[in-house]
Amino acid sequence: MENEERILDAALEVFSAHGFRGATIDQIAEHAGMSKPNLLYYFRRKQDMYEALIARLLDTWLEPLRSLDAVGDPLPELRCYIRRKLEMARDFPRESRLFANEILQGAPRIKQLLVSELKPLVDEKAEVLSGWMAEGKINPVDPRHLIFSIWSTTQHYADFDVQVQVVLGPDLGAEGRFEDAARYLETLFLDGLSPKPSETTKPRIRKF
């Protein structure tokens, strides 16, 4: 088990840097500090390592969305979701690059996982969002595009972190950039989703 984890960590490093096609078993063995025959004892093919990483990644990636609670208060639930996605961008940049590379290639090795796991979960949570909208708890928008927007804005800080740090500079681009991003994205999404009082519901001011 320890050796398998060592191999998978090395594979993640190599796959995230070179993609599936560019990665070789020799590179992975070198990063793992193992001989190629020893590595092949645990994983017979490059594909096996890749699929193990992707399955684990997708499970981790979807956990924040699974946690979106239909009976919770919508704005705090969405705030928590945004923050958890940013934490993942901060803590799992290699995994994010691996996933992005696979998607950019047309998802040839994970398309079935997207169909069987990702889509049903997004459909389920889109219904939750639609329910909140129907109850007037958040403003009506396309729920799936809302989820896409949260994905894209949070994952940007993993996939383009070098660019983010260069543009922000040494002060703003330090560790606090993730907290700054969280506050900005909360304002962007939650202010836009917060229902505004209508004219008929505004409190009347008594005149004396």
Side-chain angles (χ1 to χ4, degrees), residues 48-62 66 98-99 109-110 113 117:
D48 296 333
M49 289 180 275
Y50 191 85
E51 289 178 355
L53 284 171
I54 286 291
R56 180 184 299 183
L57 166 61
L58 194 58
D59 186 61
T60 301
W61 230 237
L62 294 180
R66 291 191 190 102
L98 176 67
F99 187 74
R109 286 160 287 274
I110 68 166
L113 280 175
E117 296 188 31

Side-chain angles (χ1 to χ4, degrees), residues 36-51:
K36 183 175 179 180
N38 194 12
L39 182 149
L40 292 173
Y41 172 80
Y42 295 95
F43 294 94
R44 295 178 60 84
R45 302 178 305 158
K46 180 173 72 169
Q47 176 87 10
D48 296 333
M49 289 180 275
Y50 191 85
E51 289 178 355

Side-chain angles (χ1 to χ4, degrees), residues 98-164:
L98 176 67
F99 187 74
N101 284 336
E102 175 68 16
I103 296 298
L104 286 172
Q105 293 173 23
R109 286 160 287 274
I110 68 166
K111 197 162 189 177
Q112 186 52 47
L113 280 175
L114 299 182
V115 172
S116 62
E117 296 188 31
L118 178 66
K119 187 180 187 308
L121 180 62
V122 171
D123 289 344
E124 174 192 333
K125 298 307 179 179
E127 288 298 316
V128 170
L129 293 167
S130 295
W132 288 339
M133 294 170 198
E135 294 169 2
K137 293 179 178 179
I138 57 175
N139 287 331
V141 296
D142 186 298
R144 289 173 180 80
H145 285 289
L146 173 59
I147 293 172
F148 297 158
S149 296
I150 294 174
W151 287 351
S152 61
T153 51
T154 53
Q155 198 163 329
H156 177 87
Y157 293 91
D159 299 341
F160 295 92
D161 190 47
V162 172
Q163 174 179 272
V164 168

Side-chain angles (χ1 to χ4, degrees), residues 1-8 34 38 42-43:
M1 187 67 176
E2 182 180 341
N3 280 343
E4 288 182 5
E5 290 300 319
R6 182 175 160 191
I7 292 168
L8 288 176
M34 301 171 68
N38 194 12
Y42 295 95
F43 294 94

Side-chain angles (χ1 to χ4, degrees), residues 169-180:
D171 295 328
L172 295 177
E175 183 64 25
R177 68 190 180 279
F178 289 99
E179 178 59 30
D180 293 340

